[in-house]
Amino acid sequence: MSISSSTRNRGGVQASSVLADAHLFGGDDPFVTGITRRLAAVRQGDVFVAIADEHDSLDDVQAAIEAGAAVIVGERLMPVFGTSQLVVDDARVAYAELCHALLGAPAADIPVIGIAGTHGKTSTSLLLASILQMAGHSPSCFTDRLNVVGGALRSMPASTDAASIAHNLAEAVAAGSTHSVIEASEGVLRNKQLTGVTLDVACLTNLFADNTAGDSSPSESRRQMTQMLEHLAPHGVLVASADDPDCQRLLATFDGAAITFAQHRPAEIRGTALETHVGEQSFLLTIDGDTAVVRTKIVGSSHIDNCLAAAAIATSYGVALADIVRGIEAINLLPGVMQRIAPTLDFATYLDGGNSPESLRACLAGVRPTTTGRLIAVVPGQSVATYRVAKAMSDQPIELAAWSSLPMFAREAIVQIVGGERAARSLPQNVLVRLSAAAAAVLAAEPGDTIVIAGCRGRATKNRNFDESTLLEKVLCSIAHLRKLPVAA
Protein backbone atom coordinates (compact mmCIF):
# COMPACT_ATOMS: atom_id res chain seq x y z
CA MET A 1 0.00 0.00 0.00
CA SER A 2 1.33 3.41 -0.90
CA ILE A 3 0.66 6.05 1.73
CA SER A 4 0.57 8.73 -0.95
CA SER A 5 -2.17 7.13 -2.98
CA SER A 6 -4.40 4.94 -0.85
CA THR A 7 -6.12 5.00 2.53
CA ARG A 8 -7.71 2.12 4.41
CA ASN A 9 -10.05 1.71 7.35
CA ARG A 10 -11.11 -1.56 8.93
CA GLY A 11 -14.63 -0.43 9.73
CA GLY A 12 -15.27 1.27 6.43
CA VAL A 13 -17.49 4.14 5.39
CA GLN A 14 -20.36 4.61 3.00
CA ALA A 15 -18.97 6.91 0.31
CA SER A 16 -22.30 8.55 -0.47
CA SER A 17 -22.71 9.64 3.15
CA VAL A 18 -19.36 11.44 2.99
CA LEU A 19 -19.96 13.06 -0.39
CA ALA A 20 -23.28 14.72 0.34
CA ASP A 21 -23.60 16.44 -3.05
CA ALA A 22 -22.66 13.39 -5.11
CA HIS A 23 -25.14 11.69 -7.44
CA LEU A 24 -25.30 7.91 -7.05
CA PHE A 25 -25.73 5.67 -10.06
CA GLY A 26 -25.79 1.88 -10.14
CA GLY A 27 -28.07 1.17 -7.21
CA ASP A 28 -25.81 -0.34 -4.54
CA ASP A 29 -24.04 1.89 -2.04
CA PRO A 30 -21.63 -0.46 -0.25
CA PHE A 31 -19.41 0.24 2.72
CA VAL A 32 -15.82 0.59 1.56
CA THR A 33 -12.59 0.21 3.50
CA GLY A 34 -10.06 1.66 1.07
CA ILE A 35 -9.63 4.46 -1.43
CA THR A 36 -7.07 5.13 -4.12
CA ARG A 37 -6.54 7.37 -7.12
CA ARG A 38 -3.84 5.13 -8.60
CA LEU A 39 -4.73 2.13 -10.75
CA ALA A 40 -1.81 0.04 -9.54
CA ALA A 41 -3.01 0.36 -5.93
CA VAL A 42 -6.64 -0.77 -6.43
CA ARG A 43 -7.70 -3.66 -4.19
CA GLN A 44 -10.90 -5.61 -3.81
CA GLY A 45 -13.68 -3.42 -2.40
CA ASP A 46 -11.89 -0.08 -2.87
CA VAL A 47 -13.23 3.27 -3.96
CA PHE A 48 -11.39 4.32 -7.10
CA VAL A 49 -11.34 8.07 -7.66
CA ALA A 50 -10.93 9.01 -11.31
CA ILE A 51 -9.03 12.31 -11.17
CA ALA A 52 -9.37 14.50 -14.25
CA ASP A 53 -6.28 14.38 -16.48
CA GLU A 54 -4.88 11.43 -14.52
CA HIS A 55 -6.94 8.22 -14.64
CA ASP A 56 -10.41 9.30 -15.74
CA SER A 57 -10.79 7.55 -19.09
CA LEU A 58 -13.24 4.70 -19.69
CA ASP A 59 -10.29 2.29 -20.02
CA ASP A 60 -8.96 3.41 -16.64
CA VAL A 61 -12.32 2.94 -14.94
CA GLN A 62 -12.80 -0.51 -16.48
CA ALA A 63 -9.30 -1.52 -15.37
CA ALA A 64 -10.09 -0.36 -11.82
CA ILE A 65 -13.29 -2.41 -11.79
CA GLU A 66 -11.44 -5.48 -13.04
CA ALA A 67 -8.93 -4.97 -10.19
CA GLY A 68 -11.78 -5.06 -7.66
CA ALA A 69 -13.01 -1.48 -7.23
CA ALA A 70 -16.48 -1.47 -5.64
CA VAL A 71 -17.26 2.22 -6.21
CA ILE A 72 -16.10 4.66 -8.87
CA VAL A 73 -15.99 8.37 -8.02
CA GLY A 74 -15.55 10.79 -10.90
CA GLU A 75 -16.73 13.97 -12.53
CA ARG A 76 -18.70 12.22 -15.29
CA LEU A 77 -20.85 9.15 -15.61
CA MET A 78 -19.11 6.24 -17.32
CA PRO A 79 -20.91 3.62 -19.47
CA VAL A 80 -20.12 0.70 -17.16
CA PHE A 81 -22.61 -1.61 -15.47
CA GLY A 82 -22.72 -3.55 -12.23
CA THR A 83 -20.57 -1.08 -10.29
CA SER A 84 -21.73 1.89 -8.23
CA GLN A 85 -20.69 5.32 -9.48
CA LEU A 86 -20.71 8.61 -7.60
CA VAL A 87 -20.56 11.66 -9.85
CA VAL A 88 -19.13 14.76 -8.16
CA ASP A 89 -18.26 18.30 -9.18
CA ASP A 90 -14.60 17.99 -8.17
CA ALA A 91 -12.92 14.58 -7.90
CA ARG A 92 -9.88 16.00 -6.07
CA VAL A 93 -12.10 17.41 -3.33
CA ALA A 94 -14.02 14.14 -3.11
CA TYR A 95 -10.79 12.16 -2.83
CA ALA A 96 -9.55 14.29 0.07
CA GLU A 97 -12.89 14.13 1.88
CA LEU A 98 -12.98 10.35 1.61
CA CYS A 99 -9.36 9.99 2.78
CA HIS A 100 -10.12 11.90 5.97
CA ALA A 101 -13.42 10.09 6.51
CA LEU A 102 -11.75 6.67 6.26
CA LEU A 103 -9.26 7.72 8.92
CA GLY A 104 -11.90 9.08 11.28
CA ALA A 105 -11.55 12.80 10.45
CA PRO A 106 -8.31 13.26 12.43
CA ALA A 107 -8.15 17.02 11.72
CA ALA A 108 -11.10 17.47 14.09
CA ASP A 109 -9.08 16.03 16.99
CA ILE A 110 -6.02 18.28 16.93
CA PRO A 111 -5.27 21.99 16.36
CA VAL A 112 -3.78 22.29 12.87
CA ILE A 113 -1.47 25.11 11.79
CA GLY A 114 -0.97 25.66 8.06
CA ILE A 115 2.07 27.51 6.73
CA ALA A 116 2.17 28.79 3.15
CA GLY A 117 4.23 31.32 1.21
CA THR A 118 6.80 31.71 -1.52
CA HIS A 119 9.68 30.63 0.72
CA GLY A 120 10.41 30.03 4.40
CA LYS A 121 7.67 27.44 4.95
CA THR A 122 9.90 24.56 6.09
CA SER A 123 12.04 26.74 8.36
CA THR A 124 9.02 28.38 9.96
CA SER A 125 7.37 25.00 10.51
CA LEU A 126 10.41 23.48 12.23
CA LEU A 127 11.09 26.61 14.28
CA LEU A 128 7.49 26.62 15.48
CA ALA A 129 7.68 22.94 16.42
CA SER A 130 10.82 23.66 18.46
CA ILE A 131 9.15 26.60 20.23
CA LEU A 132 6.03 24.61 21.09
CA GLN A 133 8.13 21.74 22.38
CA MET A 134 10.16 24.14 24.53
CA ALA A 135 6.88 25.43 25.99
CA GLY A 136 5.92 21.93 27.11
CA HIS A 137 3.74 20.91 24.17
CA SER A 138 4.16 17.85 21.96
CA PRO A 139 3.83 19.08 18.36
CA SER A 140 4.01 17.14 15.14
CA CYS A 141 5.38 18.77 12.02
CA PHE A 142 4.94 17.75 8.40
CA THR A 143 7.03 19.44 5.70
CA ASP A 144 8.14 18.49 2.23
CA ARG A 145 11.58 17.62 3.62
CA LEU A 146 10.87 15.62 6.75
CA ASN A 147 8.14 14.57 9.14
CA VAL A 148 8.46 14.89 12.92
CA VAL A 149 5.88 13.34 15.25
CA GLY A 150 6.01 14.07 18.97
CA GLY A 151 9.52 15.51 18.65
CA ALA A 152 10.95 12.44 16.87
CA LEU A 153 11.71 11.94 13.19
CA ARG A 154 9.21 9.34 12.02
CA SER A 155 9.41 9.26 8.26
CA MET A 156 10.68 10.97 5.16
CA PRO A 157 7.67 12.28 3.21
CA ALA A 158 7.01 10.42 -0.01
CA SER A 159 4.54 13.06 -1.12
CA THR A 160 2.18 15.69 0.21
CA ASP A 161 -1.07 14.59 -1.41
CA ALA A 162 -4.41 14.44 0.39
CA ALA A 163 -3.93 10.82 1.49
CA SER A 164 -0.55 11.50 3.11
CA ILE A 165 -1.92 14.62 4.85
CA ALA A 166 -4.77 12.55 6.31
CA HIS A 167 -2.33 9.80 7.36
CA ASN A 168 0.02 12.35 8.93
CA LEU A 169 -2.76 13.89 10.99
CA ALA A 170 -3.99 10.46 12.08
CA GLU A 171 -0.44 9.57 13.14
CA ALA A 172 -0.14 12.81 15.10
CA VAL A 173 -3.42 12.13 16.92
CA ALA A 174 -2.41 8.54 17.68
CA ALA A 175 0.92 9.76 19.08
CA GLY A 176 -0.83 12.18 21.44
CA SER A 177 0.48 15.30 19.72
CA THR A 178 -0.92 18.59 21.01
CA HIS A 179 -0.55 20.47 17.69
CA SER A 180 0.04 19.59 14.06
CA VAL A 181 2.04 21.90 11.77
CA ILE A 182 1.56 21.41 8.02
CA GLU A 183 3.61 23.01 5.26
CA ALA A 184 1.15 23.94 2.52
CA SER A 185 2.98 24.31 -0.77
CA GLU A 186 1.46 26.05 -3.76
CA GLY A 187 0.86 22.62 -5.32
CA VAL A 188 -0.96 21.35 -2.23
CA LEU A 189 -3.29 24.33 -2.35
CA ARG A 190 -3.74 24.32 -6.11
CA ASN A 191 -4.70 20.62 -6.07
CA LYS A 192 -7.07 21.09 -3.10
CA GLN A 193 -5.15 18.64 -0.96
CA LEU A 194 -6.00 20.50 2.26
CA THR A 195 -9.67 19.65 1.79
CA GLY A 196 -10.93 18.05 4.99
CA VAL A 197 -8.59 20.11 7.18
CA THR A 198 -9.79 23.08 9.26
CA LEU A 199 -6.94 25.34 10.34
CA ASP A 200 -6.53 26.84 13.78
CA VAL A 201 -3.87 29.21 12.40
CA ALA A 202 -3.01 30.12 8.81
CA CYS A 203 0.44 31.66 8.34
CA LEU A 204 1.62 33.40 5.17
CA THR A 205 5.39 33.82 5.36
CA ASN A 206 5.32 36.05 2.26
CA LEU A 207 3.46 36.39 -1.03
CA PHE A 208 6.16 37.74 -3.30
CA ALA A 209 6.20 35.90 -6.63
CA ASP A 210 8.80 36.35 -9.35
CA ASN A 211 7.12 36.64 -12.75
CA THR A 212 10.11 34.99 -14.44
CA ALA A 213 9.66 31.64 -12.75
CA GLY A 214 7.18 28.79 -12.64
CA ASP A 215 4.07 27.98 -14.61
CA SER A 216 1.81 30.48 -12.86
CA SER A 217 1.66 34.24 -13.19
CA PRO A 218 2.53 36.18 -10.04
CA SER A 219 -1.13 37.02 -9.42
CA GLU A 220 -2.18 33.40 -9.90
CA SER A 221 0.59 32.21 -7.60
CA ARG A 222 -0.55 34.62 -4.90
CA ARG A 223 -4.17 33.60 -5.37
CA GLN A 224 -3.27 29.95 -4.88
CA MET A 225 -1.31 30.67 -1.70
CA THR A 226 -4.11 32.76 -0.21
CA GLN A 227 -6.56 29.91 -0.85
CA MET A 228 -5.31 28.54 2.46
CA LEU A 229 -7.59 31.07 4.16
CA GLU A 230 -10.56 29.08 2.87
CA HIS A 231 -9.57 26.41 5.40
CA LEU A 232 -9.26 28.81 8.36
CA ALA A 233 -11.78 28.18 11.14
CA PRO A 234 -14.16 31.05 12.03
CA HIS A 235 -12.23 31.51 15.29
CA GLY A 236 -8.90 31.00 13.54
CA VAL A 237 -5.98 33.42 13.37
CA LEU A 238 -4.18 34.75 10.30
CA VAL A 239 -0.44 35.34 10.76
CA ALA A 240 1.18 37.39 8.01
CA SER A 241 4.18 39.55 7.20
CA ALA A 242 3.65 43.30 7.51
CA ASP A 243 6.82 43.80 5.45
CA ASP A 244 5.30 42.07 2.42
CA PRO A 245 3.15 44.48 0.32
CA ASP A 246 0.84 41.70 -0.89
CA CYS A 247 0.30 40.48 2.66
CA GLN A 248 -0.45 44.06 3.66
CA ARG A 249 -3.17 44.30 1.02
CA LEU A 250 -4.63 41.00 2.19
CA LEU A 251 -4.60 42.10 5.82
CA ALA A 252 -6.44 45.32 4.90
CA THR A 253 -9.41 43.31 3.66
CA PHE A 254 -9.25 40.39 6.10
CA ASP A 255 -12.20 40.26 8.49
CA GLY A 256 -10.90 38.23 11.39
CA ALA A 257 -8.21 37.86 14.03
CA ALA A 258 -4.71 38.55 12.72
CA ILE A 259 -1.16 38.82 14.07
CA THR A 260 1.56 40.55 12.04
CA PHE A 261 5.34 40.25 12.11
CA ALA A 262 7.97 42.46 10.49
CA GLN A 263 11.52 43.77 10.59
CA HIS A 264 10.93 47.09 8.85
CA ARG A 265 7.31 48.11 9.55
CA PRO A 266 5.05 48.36 12.60
CA ALA A 267 3.80 44.94 13.69
CA GLU A 268 2.82 43.00 16.79
CA ILE A 269 5.99 40.88 16.50
CA ARG A 270 9.11 42.89 15.66
CA GLY A 271 12.63 41.84 14.82
CA THR A 272 15.70 44.08 14.60
CA ALA A 273 18.97 42.68 13.27
CA LEU A 274 21.97 43.29 15.53
CA GLU A 275 25.10 41.48 14.34
CA THR A 276 25.80 39.04 11.52
CA HIS A 277 28.93 36.91 11.28
CA VAL A 278 29.90 33.77 9.42
CA GLY A 279 27.88 31.02 11.08
CA GLU A 280 25.98 33.21 13.56
CA GLN A 281 23.70 36.22 13.84
CA SER A 282 21.72 37.97 16.56
CA PHE A 283 18.56 40.05 16.56
CA LEU A 284 16.17 41.74 18.95
CA LEU A 285 12.77 40.09 19.29
CA THR A 286 10.00 42.36 20.58
CA ILE A 287 6.57 41.06 21.62
CA ASP A 288 3.99 43.23 23.43
CA GLY A 289 6.67 45.69 24.52
CA ASP A 290 8.99 43.00 25.92
CA THR A 291 12.32 42.52 24.17
CA ALA A 292 14.93 39.77 24.16
CA VAL A 293 18.14 39.10 22.26
CA VAL A 294 18.04 35.99 20.06
CA ARG A 295 21.21 34.30 18.79
CA THR A 296 21.03 31.79 15.97
CA LYS A 297 23.57 29.76 14.04
CA ILE A 298 21.57 30.24 10.85
CA VAL A 299 22.35 33.51 9.09
CA GLY A 300 20.34 35.78 6.84
CA SER A 301 17.55 38.31 7.04
CA SER A 302 15.10 35.75 5.68
CA HIS A 303 15.84 33.48 8.65
CA ILE A 304 14.94 36.32 11.01
CA ASP A 305 11.64 36.63 9.12
CA ASN A 306 11.02 32.90 9.64
CA CYS A 307 11.80 33.22 13.36
CA LEU A 308 9.32 36.11 13.61
CA ALA A 309 6.62 34.12 11.81
CA ALA A 310 7.09 31.18 14.16
CA ALA A 311 7.07 33.54 17.16
CA ALA A 312 3.85 35.15 15.97
CA ILE A 313 2.11 31.78 15.70
CA ALA A 314 3.41 30.78 19.13
CA THR A 315 1.99 33.94 20.70
CA SER A 316 -1.46 32.97 19.47
CA TYR A 317 -1.16 29.96 21.80
CA GLY A 318 0.09 32.06 24.70
CA VAL A 319 3.71 30.89 24.59
CA ALA A 320 5.98 33.09 26.73
CA LEU A 321 8.77 35.16 25.20
CA ALA A 322 11.44 33.20 27.08
CA ASP A 323 10.20 29.90 25.62
CA ILE A 324 10.06 31.42 22.14
CA VAL A 325 13.70 32.53 22.42
CA ARG A 326 14.80 29.14 23.75
CA GLY A 327 12.91 27.34 21.00
CA ILE A 328 14.52 29.43 18.26
CA GLU A 329 18.00 29.11 19.72
CA ALA A 330 17.60 25.33 20.05
CA ILE A 331 17.59 25.07 16.24
CA ASN A 332 21.25 25.04 15.22
CA LEU A 333 20.66 23.36 11.89
CA LEU A 334 17.84 23.21 9.38
CA PRO A 335 18.80 20.64 6.73
CA GLY A 336 19.30 22.43 3.44
CA VAL A 337 18.50 25.86 4.90
CA MET A 338 21.66 27.99 4.88
CA GLN A 339 23.44 24.92 6.24
CA ARG A 340 27.09 25.67 6.84
CA ILE A 341 29.51 22.90 5.90
CA ALA A 342 33.32 22.55 5.95
CA PRO A 343 33.72 25.20 8.67
CA THR A 344 37.52 24.65 8.92
CA LEU A 345 38.15 26.13 5.48
CA ASP A 346 39.29 29.71 5.05
CA PHE A 347 36.23 30.47 2.95
CA ALA A 348 32.66 29.96 4.13
CA THR A 349 30.40 27.46 2.39
CA TYR A 350 26.63 27.12 2.74
CA LEU A 351 24.13 24.64 1.32
CA ASP A 352 20.61 25.84 0.62
CA GLY A 353 17.76 23.76 -0.74
CA GLY A 354 15.99 26.69 -2.37
CA ASN A 355 15.63 26.26 -6.10
CA SER A 356 13.49 29.27 -7.00
CA PRO A 357 14.54 32.83 -7.83
CA GLU A 358 12.82 34.09 -4.67
CA SER A 359 14.63 31.60 -2.43
CA LEU A 360 18.03 32.30 -3.95
CA ARG A 361 17.48 36.05 -3.77
CA ALA A 362 16.73 35.83 -0.04
CA CYS A 363 19.65 33.48 0.50
CA LEU A 364 22.27 35.62 -1.25
CA ALA A 365 20.99 38.84 0.31
CA GLY A 366 21.25 37.27 3.74
CA VAL A 367 24.78 35.94 3.37
CA ARG A 368 26.30 38.96 1.60
CA PRO A 369 26.97 40.92 4.84
CA THR A 370 28.97 37.99 6.28
CA THR A 371 31.62 37.79 3.56
CA THR A 372 34.77 39.89 3.42
CA GLY A 373 35.57 38.60 -0.06
CA ARG A 374 33.61 37.51 -3.09
CA LEU A 375 30.24 35.77 -3.09
CA ILE A 376 30.23 32.68 -5.33
CA ALA A 377 26.82 31.20 -6.21
CA VAL A 378 26.73 27.58 -7.40
CA VAL A 379 23.43 26.98 -9.23
CA PRO A 380 23.78 23.90 -11.49
CA GLY A 381 20.57 22.61 -13.02
CA GLN A 382 18.54 25.63 -11.92
CA SER A 383 16.12 27.62 -14.08
CA VAL A 384 17.19 30.50 -16.27
CA ALA A 385 15.41 32.86 -13.89
CA THR A 386 17.33 31.47 -10.91
CA TYR A 387 20.63 31.80 -12.76
CA ARG A 388 19.79 35.42 -13.53
CA VAL A 389 19.42 36.06 -9.80
CA ALA A 390 22.78 34.39 -9.18
CA LYS A 391 24.38 36.49 -11.88
CA ALA A 392 22.91 39.73 -10.54
CA MET A 393 23.55 39.14 -6.83
CA SER A 394 26.83 37.22 -6.71
CA ASP A 395 30.35 38.04 -7.82
CA GLN A 396 30.80 34.73 -9.61
CA PRO A 397 27.87 32.50 -10.59
CA ILE A 398 28.68 28.90 -11.50
CA GLU A 399 25.93 27.22 -13.47
CA LEU A 400 27.79 24.25 -14.93
CA ALA A 401 31.29 22.82 -14.67
CA ALA A 402 32.03 20.19 -17.29
CA TRP A 403 33.70 17.12 -15.83
CA SER A 404 36.44 17.35 -18.45
CA SER A 405 37.17 20.95 -17.47
CA LEU A 406 38.19 20.01 -13.93
CA PRO A 407 41.87 19.32 -13.22
CA MET A 408 42.75 15.65 -13.03
CA PHE A 409 43.44 15.81 -9.29
CA ALA A 410 39.93 17.20 -8.68
CA ARG A 411 38.28 14.50 -10.75
CA GLU A 412 40.30 11.79 -9.02
CA ALA A 413 39.37 13.22 -5.63
CA ILE A 414 35.65 13.19 -6.42
CA VAL A 415 35.79 9.62 -7.76
CA GLN A 416 37.62 8.45 -4.66
CA ILE A 417 35.19 10.21 -2.32
CA VAL A 418 32.09 8.67 -3.91
CA GLY A 419 33.61 5.18 -3.85
CA GLY A 420 35.19 4.63 -7.24
CA GLU A 421 34.36 4.89 -10.94
CA ARG A 422 31.41 2.52 -10.73
CA ALA A 423 29.86 4.43 -7.82
CA ALA A 424 30.41 7.73 -9.63
CA ARG A 425 28.58 6.41 -12.70
CA SER A 426 25.66 5.29 -10.53
CA LEU A 427 25.16 8.71 -8.93
CA PRO A 428 22.11 10.73 -10.05
CA GLN A 429 23.23 13.11 -12.78
CA ASN A 430 22.16 16.20 -10.86
CA VAL A 431 24.32 15.17 -7.88
CA LEU A 432 27.40 14.59 -10.03
CA VAL A 433 26.86 17.94 -11.75
CA ARG A 434 26.57 19.66 -8.38
CA LEU A 435 29.76 17.99 -7.12
CA SER A 436 31.59 19.16 -10.26
CA ALA A 437 30.27 22.70 -9.89
CA ALA A 438 31.20 22.74 -6.21
CA ALA A 439 34.71 21.61 -7.12
CA ALA A 440 34.96 24.45 -9.63
CA ALA A 441 33.86 26.89 -6.92
CA VAL A 442 36.57 25.64 -4.55
CA LEU A 443 39.19 26.01 -7.26
CA ALA A 444 38.08 29.64 -7.72
CA ALA A 445 37.68 30.51 -4.03
CA GLU A 446 40.15 32.54 -2.00
CA PRO A 447 40.32 33.13 1.76
CA GLY A 448 37.45 35.36 2.86
CA ASP A 449 35.14 34.33 0.03
CA THR A 450 31.72 32.75 0.55
CA ILE A 451 30.29 29.90 -1.54
CA VAL A 452 26.56 29.23 -1.64
CA ILE A 453 25.53 25.91 -3.22
CA ALA A 454 21.84 26.17 -4.11
CA GLY A 455 19.28 23.49 -4.81
CA CYS A 456 20.81 20.92 -2.43
CA ARG A 457 18.61 19.72 0.40
CA GLY A 458 21.52 17.87 1.96
CA ARG A 459 19.90 14.70 3.27
CA ALA A 460 19.48 11.05 2.46
CA THR A 461 16.13 9.74 1.28
CA LYS A 462 14.63 6.30 0.97
CA ASN A 463 15.73 6.30 -2.68
CA ARG A 464 19.26 7.53 -1.94
CA ASN A 465 21.54 5.81 0.55
CA PHE A 466 23.90 8.77 0.77
CA ASP A 467 23.75 12.25 2.22
CA GLU A 468 24.70 14.76 -0.46
CA SER A 469 25.85 17.33 2.09
CA THR A 470 28.42 14.85 3.39
CA LEU A 471 29.73 14.20 -0.13
CA LEU A 472 29.94 17.93 -0.84
CA GLU A 473 31.79 18.61 2.40
CA LYS A 474 34.35 15.91 1.62
CA VAL A 475 34.83 17.26 -1.90
CA LEU A 476 35.30 20.81 -0.64
CA CYS A 477 37.86 19.85 1.99
CA SER A 478 39.75 17.42 -0.23
CA ILE A 479 40.13 19.79 -3.17
CA ALA A 480 40.94 22.73 -0.91
CA HIS A 481 43.72 20.65 0.63
CA LEU A 482 44.99 19.41 -2.72
CA ARG A 483 45.25 22.91 -4.13
CA LYS A 484 46.98 23.88 -0.87
CA LEU A 485 44.43 26.37 0.39
CA PRO A 486 45.18 26.97 4.07
CA VAL A 487 42.91 24.97 6.32
CA ALA A 488 42.52 25.79 10.00
CA ALA A 489 43.70 23.15 12.43
Side-chain angles (χ1 to χ4, degrees), residues 25 243 410:
F25 297 90
D243 282 333

Side-chain angles (χ1 to χ4, degrees), residues 191-210:
N191 293 316
K192 303 176 183 178
Q193 291 163 357
L194 269 187
T195 299
V197 178
T198 299
L199 298 176
D200 216 34
V201 177
C203 174
L204 293 170
T205 59
N206 41 66
L207 287 175
F208 176 80
D210 191 319

Side-chain angles (χ1 to χ4, degrees), residues 116-175:
T118 307
H119 58 270
K121 298 181 291 296
T122 299
S123 297
T124 301
S125 298
L126 295 173
L127 285 162
L128 175 61
S130 178
I131 292 170
L132 290 173
Q133 191 168 14
M134 199 63 68
H137 301 291
S138 179
S140 292
C141 182
F142 305 102
T143 78
D144 67 353
R145 300 189 191 182
L146 50 84
N147 290 349
V148 179
V149 178
L153 181 67
R154 286 291 182 90
S155 63
M156 293 296 183
S159 73
T160 50
D161 73 355
S164 64
I165 289 172
H167 274 276
N168 289 341
L169 289 172
E171 185 182 17
V173 171

Side-chain angles (χ1 to χ4, degrees), residues 163-431:
S164 64
I165 289 172
H167 274 276
N168 289 341
L169 289 172
E171 185 182 17
V173 171
S177 297
T178 56
H179 304 75
S180 183
V181 185
I182 296 179
E183 176 180 336
S185 68
E186 190 174 325
V188 164
L189 296 167
R190 179 176 59 250
N191 293 316
K192 303 176 183 178
Q193 291 163 357
L194 269 187
T195 299
V197 178
T198 299
L199 298 176
D200 216 34
V201 177
C203 174
L204 293 170
T205 59
N206 41 66
L207 287 175
F208 176 80
D210 191 319
N211 61 4
T212 61
D215 298 326
S216 303
S217 67
S219 60
E220 176 61 18
S221 180
R222 287 189 290 270
R223 188 189 69 80
Q224 289 168 358
M225 287 185 280
T226 56
Q227 280 183 342
M228 188 172 63
L229 297 184
E230 297 174 6
H231 301 277
L232 188 61
H235 65 273
V237 177
L238 168 63
V239 171
S241 169
D243 282 333
D244 185 287
D246 293 301
C247 284
Q248 280 187 322
R249 284 188 281 271
L250 176 66
L251 287 162
T253 60
F254 180 70
D255 184 19
I259 299 174
T260 58
F261 62 91
Q263 293 189 62
H264 309 293
R265 293 178 180 271
E268 284 90 348
I269 313 299
R270 286 293 311 277
T272 305
L274 294 176
E275 295 182 331
T276 302
H277 307 284
V278 174
E280 184 175 281
Q281 70 177 349
S282 61
F283 66 94
L284 286 178
L285 174 61
T286 303
I287 301 175
D288 292 333
D290 294 328
T291 299
V293 176
V294 182
R295 293 178 175 85
T296 171
K297 298 293 185 183
I298 303 167
V299 301
S301 177
S302 62
H303 183 66
I304 296 177
D305 285 336
N306 300 334
C307 292
L308 298 178
I313 299 169
T315 60
S316 73
Y317 290 104
V319 177
L321 176 60
D323 288 330
I324 291 173
V325 173
R326 290 195 302 144
I328 292 171
E329 293 184 340
I331 298 290
N332 291 319
L333 171 68
L334 291 168
V337 179
M338 290 305 292
Q339 177 183 346
R340 192 175 179 207
I341 61 172
T344 59
L345 296 176
D346 275 354
F347 52 86
T349 306
Y350 297 92
L351 300 182
D352 194 80
N355 56 8
S356 69
E358 296 91 344
S359 296
L360 183 62
R361 184 180 289 108
C363 171
L364 296 180
V367 80
R368 170 65 80 177
T370 72
T371 183
T372 58
R374 297 174 305 151
L375 180 55
I376 302 171
V378 180
V379 288
Q382 302 298 304
S383 67
V384 172
T386 302
Y387 179 71
R388 285 174 182 161
V389 171
K391 189 174 182 180
M393 297 188 66
S394 72
D395 300 300
Q396 183 173 347
I398 298 178
E399 182 181 22
L400 292 173
W403 183 255
S404 59
S405 70
L406 296 177
M408 180 60 72
F409 75 84
R411 284 179 279 170
E412 290 176 347
I414 293 173
V415 169
Q416 183 178 3
I417 286 167
V418 302
E421 292 280 357
R422 184 174 180 180
R425 287 194 296 270
S426 68
L427 283 175
Q429 184 63 26
N430 66 321
V431 174

